[in-house]
Structures are given as structure tokens and as C-alpha cells.
Amino acid sequence: MIDLYTWTTPNGRKVSIFLEELGLEYDSHAIDIGKDDQFAPEFLKIAPNNKIPAIVDRDNGLSLMESGAILIYLADKHGRFLPKEGEPRYRVLEWLMWQMGGIGPFLGQVHHFVHYNKGKAPYAEERYSKEARRLYGVLDRRLEGRKFIVDEYSIADVATWPWISRFEWQEIDLNEFPNVKRWYTEIAERPAVRKGYHVPKFVSDIPMP
Ligand SMILES: N[C@@H](CCC(=O)N[C@@H](CS)C(=O)NCC(=O)O)C(=O)O
């Protein structure tokens, strides 16, 4: 049994979607980051960086923050969605790190400057929108002739998909990135995605291009 501390954001949805993919039992606990729940002393004990998501594994008492680390832990523990060794494992980790270091932080800045604070900082809007388009281009090329980011569906896809689900906030027309559009719409149909997207609560339907 896993305790999941989360909110309705891309980083939070990565973990709820993955718990659904693994078919695990979990309790979700809403950490409303709009109300500063992430700074509560009890939450800081398991998530010292005061950000969601975080988990506690009741089997062994292990607590973890950082969505990438959580996905690796759960994948290794259950032996699924992350190859055990060799090049396939490092390809998945390579693209997971790409998501953690590129897609997440830079699309996050687009949400901040372009979606929430439009017109306040034109230079930042331009800089981060340009980087977002570059990253979409990288993903589109990677998905040319590939069903998933690395061979089989993996934690690299699980980590990246929720960020692409905010394509409207990022003012990205998915028709310009046909491989991303095909990958995105196929993954959106997975039962685990359809369920995990609405944890810890329903906000809106999954955006479709
Ligand atoms: N690198 C972290 C980023 C986590 C993150 O940025 N979480 C955001 C929501 S998506 C958050 O909790 N923000 C609250 C805050 O910054 O105070 C991860 O992947 O887990």
C-alpha cells in the first residue's frame, strides 16, 4: 500500500497514473499547493523540498520525493516499465532525465509566464515559448517511426505525457508535431491514464487536440 501526496498538476499526475498502470492500491492525500499545504511541517518530513509529489511505501516505511525517483523506485520494485539492465534501461533513464531536466522545468516556466502572467514579462514569454517549441521538436523527432519514447511503454512516457497534456496552456498546436499528437492521443486512451489523471480530484476532462 502506497500513500501518495499529490495535487492536480503534471508532476503529481505522473505518479497517480503510474500507480494505476501498476494496479497498486494507494491512498491519495491532497496537498493543495494553492493554499500552501506543501509548507506544512508534517509534509516537509517526507518532502523536504516542499513540492508534490511524494510517497510513503507502507510495506517498508520508505518516503520519497521527486517524481523521477518515485517512478524509478516503483518500476524497480514491481519489475515493470523500466528494463532491468543494459542499453534499454539506460535509454529509458536518459529520456526520463530529459523530461525531468527539460520538459518539466521549461514547460513549467511557460505555464508561469505565458498562461498565468501573460504580458508581464515578454522576454521570458519569448524565451520559454521558444524552448518549449524546441523540446516539442525533439520529442517529435524521437517519436518518428516509434510507438513510444523507448521501444515499449515506459516511465519515460509516463513522465512526459502529463506535461504534454497542458499543450493548450503552452499555446502549442499539436498538428505541428504529428508524432507527438499520435503518441499523446494513444496514451490518453489508456485506462490507467484516464483514471490517474483525475487524482486527487476531477478538474476537467483530458484535453484532446
Ligand atoms: N522536480 C520535482 C518538481 C516538483 C514540482 O515542481 N511540484 C510542483 C507542482 S507540479 C509544486 O509542488 N509546487 C509547489 C511550490 O512550488 O511551492 C518533481 O519532479 O517531483
Side-chain angles (χ1 to χ4, degrees):
M1 174 67 104
I2 300 286
D3 284 300
L4 167 64
Y5 299 82
T6 192
W7 192 236
T8 55
T9 70
N11 287 322
R13 286 173 176 149
K14 288 177 197 176
V15 180
S16 47
I17 286 171
F18 196 48
L19 288 163
E20 294 291 342
E21 293 284 4
L22 291 169
L24 297 179
E25 271 193 77
Y26 63 100
D27 277 342
S28 73
H29 307 274
I31 302 293
D32 185 341
I33 61 174
K35 291 192 178 146
D36 283 353
D37 288 356
Q38 70 274 32
F39 298 107
E42 317 84 73
F43 182 62
L44 292 182
K45 282 186 200 150
I46 57 166
N49 194 38
N50 63 260
K51 288 181 192 281
I52 63 93
I55 62 163
V56 176
D57 185 342
R58 284 191 213 162
D59 287 354
N60 52 22
L62 180 78
S63 69
L64 277 179
M65 61 171 188
E66 284 295 326
S67 58
I70 295 168
L71 295 181
I72 294 169
Y73 170 72
L74 292 172
D76 276 344
K77 183 175 178 197
H78 297 280
R80 297 182 65 200
F81 303 108
L82 172 62
K84 282 192 173 41
E85 61 193 3
E87 181 173 345
R89 179 178 178 87
Y90 297 109
R91 283 288 160 240
V92 171
L93 293 177
E94 174 184 56
W95 285 94
L96 177 68
M97 296 303 150
W98 174 78
Q99 184 287 308
M100 294 297 293
I103 285 277
F106 286 94
L107 299 190
Q109 295 301 324
V110 176
H111 297 173
H112 181 80
F113 288 108
V114 175
H115 180 72
Y116 285 115
N117 293 287
K118 206 171 188 59
K120 286 191 191 162
Y123 174 75
E125 284 182 44
E126 188 194 330
R127 173 176 160 79
Y128 294 118
S129 295
K130 199 172 158 199
E131 179 64 1
R133 292 189 67 78
R134 189 190 70 77
L135 289 163
Y136 269 81
V138 172
L139 184 58
D140 201 62
R141 287 192 296 281
R142 177 67 189 174
L143 289 167
E144 179 80 50
R146 274 194 187 87
K147 192 166 162 61
F148 299 114
I149 296 177
V150 186
D151 307 327
E152 309 281 310
Y153 185 64
S154 73
I155 55 174
D157 301 286
V158 173
T160 306
W161 186 91
W163 283 96
I164 303 304
S165 78
R166 290 257 158 106
F167 63 91
E168 291 164 324
W169 287 22
Q170 298 148 11
E171 300 184 353
I172 291 283
D173 178 358
L174 283 185
N175 292 314
E176 291 179 42
F177 302 97
N179 299 311
V180 176
K181 183 180 173 186
R182 185 245 320 139
W183 167 89
Y184 174 77
T185 50
E186 273 181 35
I187 292 177
E189 297 303 326
R190 294 177 72 91
V193 173
R194 302 197 76 75
K195 199 161 170 213
Y197 188 85
H198 302 297
V199 174
K201 63 170 190 173
F202 179 91
V203 178
S204 60
D205 288 327
I206 294 177
M208 294 306 280

